[in-house]
Amino acid sequence: MKSNDFAQFMFYSSAFDEKKIVELFSASKNAQPTLATKAIFLRLISLSEIKDLQKKSPAELDAEVEKILSPIQIKRTENLSSNISLKLAQSLIDTFTVDFLGLEELLQEYHKIEIPPVEFAFAKFYDSLPEDFKVDFPLALNVVQCLYDFVTETFKTPVILIPMVDLSADTKFGASVRITGEMPVVVAIVAEQKIFHKMANLYDDFVSDNLDEDFDAISELLNVFTGNYTVQVAAVAGVEEEPEPPRFGRIDEKIQLLRVLTNFGEFFLYTGKKEIFLVV
């Protein structure tokens, strides 16, 4: 199985518009992947093996699928119920958006793509940035890919990156961390106040009373991410990087940000050379 980019792939599929994907995101929160869906998603069985069984109830179908799979294959499906991409695939079935044939065809396209969906989305955004904002593309892409997975796992949500240009911020709230060293980059999360508040509460599992506590929670989120990221860079590339203390504040100007769609709303992501918050 690939990373958590099945949602990103769906966004670029002509079969789904943003409204439909938002509906599927909502449905995926409570989706309980069946053995049949797991087996199709992992390509352990093909539709031809179960096409005569599709009219059975989910429980009956799973019983028949269990007879087809080997013990090793069944073991591969275990502990996958919370997988974000798999839950999204189950929501396609649960909402009758596609049947198993449609899911199988969608997965065939998913596994044929040559450019990872997250890279494709970020490249479209990166090309639109002014040169004085850009860090090297491989560095920026690596940060975004790691943050994409971090957000997916932290908030248990599908994630879609949507290129945005010259976004009018209208007093958006956010926090940032600069990573210094051989590969310096500023990473920031920005959102409308109600989403910023919601994100802070989801991350810290508390009900904050004021904006300062929200800033603290999102700053801590970025601290954790950048800390993990610098350790990864050191282990893989042997390059020592160091996160600076977070900055936070509001943006009241036009700035180019990457839109991030999740099942709890949308926020905006910044990766670049320049600081965008003045408060430390």
Side-chain angles (χ1 to χ4, degrees):
M1 185 184 300
K2 296 186 180 182
S3 185
N4 298 307
D5 60 1
F6 186 57
Q8 188 71 53
F9 162 77
M10 287 173 57
F11 179 73
Y12 286 111
S13 168
S14 59
F16 307 97
D17 59 19
E18 185 176 326
K19 180 180 178 181
K20 184 61 180 179
I21 287 179
V22 169
E23 293 174 358
L24 291 167
F25 273 21
S26 179
S28 71
K29 291 180 184 179
N30 299 315
Q32 299 296 324
T34 65
L35 181 59
T37 302
K38 292 177 184 178
I40 289 288
F41 193 84
L42 292 173
R43 297 195 293 180
L44 299 177
I45 61 174
S46 66
L47 185 68
S48 61
E49 295 176 270
I50 63 169
K51 64 181 180 180
D52 297 329
L53 307 173
Q54 288 191 73
K55 293 184 180 180
K56 293 181 177 290
S57 70
E60 291 173 326
L61 179 56
D62 277 2
E64 295 298 329
V65 170
E66 189 171 4
K67 295 176 184 177
I68 297 172
L69 300 180
S70 69
I72 293 177
Q73 289 174 322
I74 292 174
K75 189 171 182 62
R76 284 188 61 193
T77 69
E78 295 175 356
N79 302 319
L80 284 177
S81 295
S82 61
N83 179 273
I84 299 302
S85 291
L86 186 54
K87 287 171 73 72
L88 189 57
Q90 185 63 51
S91 74
L92 289 168
I93 300 295
D94 292 345
T95 60
F96 304 101
T97 301
V98 299
D99 55 15
F100 279 111
L101 175 59
L103 178 60
E104 187 176 56
E105 291 174 346
L106 191 63
L107 289 168
Q108 286 174 351
E109 293 301 314
Y110 174 56
H111 288 284
K112 284 194 302 186
I113 55 177
E114 296 181 359
I115 301 176
V118 173
E119 179 177 344
F120 182 79
F122 182 70
K124 291 180 65 176
F125 171 72
Y126 182 88
D127 289 342
S128 70
L129 289 174
E131 287 301 320
D132 60 343
F133 274 82
K134 291 181 179 178
V135 296
D136 290 342
F137 178 76
L139 169 60
L141 175 62
N142 190 34
V143 172
V144 169
Q145 286 177 322
C146 290
L147 190 57
Y148 183 98
D149 287 336
F150 181 79
V151 170
T152 300
E153 295 300 328
T154 299
F155 294 101
K156 306 303 179 186
T157 176
V159 174
I160 294 174
L161 305 180
I162 304 175
M164 295 287 288
V165 179
D166 291 333
L167 180 70
S168 179
D170 293 331
T171 312
K172 295 214 164 46
F173 300 80
S176 68
V177 171
R178 174 183 287 278
I179 302 173
T180 60
E182 294 184 36
M183 300 185 294
V185 61
V186 177
V187 185
I189 287 176
V190 182
E192 296 285 0
Q193 185 172 3
K194 65 179 182 180
I195 298 299
F196 193 74
H197 177 76
K198 187 173 184 178
M199 194 174 185
N201 280 266
L202 285 171
Y203 176 71
D204 225 4
D205 195 25
F206 76 114
V207 179
S208 66
D209 295 324
N210 57 60
L211 186 58
D212 286 341
E213 291 179 342
D214 291 343
F215 281 134
D216 287 344
I218 300 303
S219 295
E220 178 59 24
L221 182 154
L222 284 171
N223 268 334
V224 171
F225 166 71
T226 52
N228 291 343
Y229 178 75
T230 55
V231 169
Q232 175 185 317
V233 169
V236 174
V239 176
E240 294 294 333
E241 306 291 326
E242 185 69 29
E244 291 185 350
R247 294 171 177 254
F248 55 86
R250 306 182 187 189
I251 297 177
D252 296 298
E253 60 182 284
K254 286 188 175 181
I255 187 171
Q256 292 171 300
L257 301 170
L258 189 60
R259 184 176 170 218
V260 184
L261 188 64
T262 72
N263 64 14
F264 59 82
E266 66 179 25
F267 65 92
F268 302 90
L269 177 64
Y270 171 83
T271 55
K273 291 180 180 179
K274 295 185 176 182
E275 295 281 10
I276 58 175
F277 299 114
L278 298 178
V279 180
V280 181

